[in-house]
Amino acid sequence: MNRLKSLFISAWMTLLFAGAVRSGWELYNHPSSITWYWVLLSMATPLVFFGWVFTGNVARTQTATKVIFGVTVLSLLGAALSPSPTLEALAWILSIGVIGSAMYEWWYSSFGDRSNEILSVGQTLPALEFIAADGSAIRTQELNKPMLMIFYRGNWCPLCMAQIKEIAGQYRELAAKGVEIMLISPQPQSHTASLAQRFDAPMSFLVDKDNAMAKRLGIVALNGLPAGLEVLGYESDTVLPTVIMTNVSGKILFADLTDNYRVRPEPETFLDVFAQAGI
């Protein structure tokens, strides 16, 4: 299933661009063709959304994608009611606009049930080991600190990057509580090192080599990388976005196993959880 999703997201973005170019060409040659304006709207709206996500430091998009779906349905109705609509134009809107955005909203973005006894609140976090940016080993059982652990998919994921930026903005408040902030990804160490240089906050940027710890915790995403990004050095297997918070003894205070990668905890949640635990 994940392999199909990997292929879908890359193919859909490519077809959205192709549809925008196709409608632009038709409008260049036939500027009075109202139907192709609707095609352009249905293609451009998701593309503008992705542009916003990649450039706007957006960590949550659950409302925006429903708006996109509504715009594509409106485009289909507008095109169908336009004078002399063509089958090609309607096919672009229906297949790439309406069906594509519906699949993105209700199929691609959803992880399904992520129930996980290992990460239940009150359980003791298993001993975990990661690789730091400098190549040294970090063992959770040796830290003796409250921990905020964020498993993120990689530098390629804009929502993950936006979430990390939020955490960096909270660093001083969390550090004052003695919290160890651990940002963990299976991506190559060179990618993690470059990410660490972007943030002026001494957080721990760690590598989970071969997803070994993610597999132990049951949060690995096999074939979770969008197709084609392997050329940038990423492995096809990644991790499901996950947040784990523990006290100094490793007891789990909070675990967010989101069933939708576009829905993540608000940054205030972390401070509130630690405060309720007396940290």
Side-chain angles (χ1 to χ4, degrees):
M1 181 64 73
N2 280 349
R3 186 56 182 165
L4 289 176
K5 290 186 175 183
S6 171
L7 294 169
F8 162 77
I9 190 62
S10 298
W12 186 46
M13 293 182 72
T14 300
L15 289 170
L16 284 170
F17 181 76
V21 171
R22 177 73 179 104
S23 56
W25 177 252
E26 282 292 325
L27 290 171
Y28 175 77
N29 289 290
H30 309 286
S32 62
S33 178
I34 297 175
T35 303
W36 284 99
Y37 283 105
W38 289 111
V39 177
L40 182 60
L41 178 64
S42 67
M43 301 294 110
T45 302
L47 288 174
V48 169
F49 163 76
F50 284 118
W52 171 60
V53 168
F54 276 96
T55 62
N57 291 314
V58 181
R60 299 159 196 85
T61 64
Q62 56 266 42
T63 300
T65 50
K66 292 179 175 60
V67 173
I68 290 170
F69 176 71
V71 170
T72 60
V73 171
L74 175 65
S75 298
L76 181 62
L77 293 174
L81 296 174
S82 298
S84 304
T86 65
L87 288 178
E88 182 191 356
L90 294 174
W92 274 108
I93 299 175
L94 177 61
S95 60
I96 310 304
V98 176
I99 295 177
S101 59
M103 290 178 67
Y104 180 73
E105 172 68 23
W106 289 287
W107 175 66
Y108 175 79
S109 301
S110 176
F111 299 136
D113 182 21
R114 291 186 61 195
S115 300
N116 188 324
E117 292 186 8
I118 296 174
L119 297 180
S120 298
V121 172
Q123 296 279 41
T124 298
L125 185 71
L128 304 174
E129 181 175 331
F130 304 105
I131 301 172
D134 62 3
S136 62
I138 300 294
R139 300 176 180 86
T140 57
Q141 67 272 27
E142 297 175 356
L143 294 176
N144 297 316
K145 292 181 178 182
M147 292 184 292
L148 169 57
M149 310 175 69
I150 297 182
F151 287 82
Y152 67 99
R153 301 192 294 174
N155 294 8
W156 57 268
C157 174
L159 278 73
C160 298
M161 296 299 98
Q163 185 179 37
I164 290 173
K165 185 174 182 179
E166 290 179 342
I167 296 300
Q170 284 187 319
Y171 175 76
R172 287 176 177 80
E173 294 172 276
L174 291 166
K177 296 176 176 289
V179 175
E180 180 74 19
I181 303 173
M182 309 173 74
L183 306 168
I184 306 154
S185 171
Q187 67 183 359
Q189 192 168 340
S190 59
H191 290 10
T192 295
S194 67
L195 179 63
Q197 294 174 1
R198 287 168 49 186
F199 292 93
D200 183 23
M203 303 179 292
S204 297
F205 290 84
L206 309 175
V207 175
D208 180 16
K209 186 173 176 57
D210 298 325
N211 273 305
M213 300 301 106
K215 291 174 182 175
R216 180 178 297 180
L217 297 175
I219 58 174
V220 68
L222 300 176
N223 294 309
L225 183 76
L229 291 185
E230 293 89 347
V231 299
L232 299 179
Y234 297 101
E235 297 293 332
S236 60
D237 296 339
T238 184
V239 66
L240 296 169
T242 303
V243 177
I244 305 168
M245 300 173 64
T246 71
N247 63 12
V248 68
S249 62
K251 177 183 176 181
I252 297 175
L253 304 173
F254 173 86
D256 181 73
L257 285 72
T258 181
D259 62 358
N260 186 322
Y261 82 95
R262 297 182 292 102
V263 182
R264 297 164 188 253
E266 295 291 339
E268 296 80 8
T269 300
F270 309 134
L271 292 171
D272 291 344
V273 170
F274 282 128
Q276 291 169 12
I279 298 172

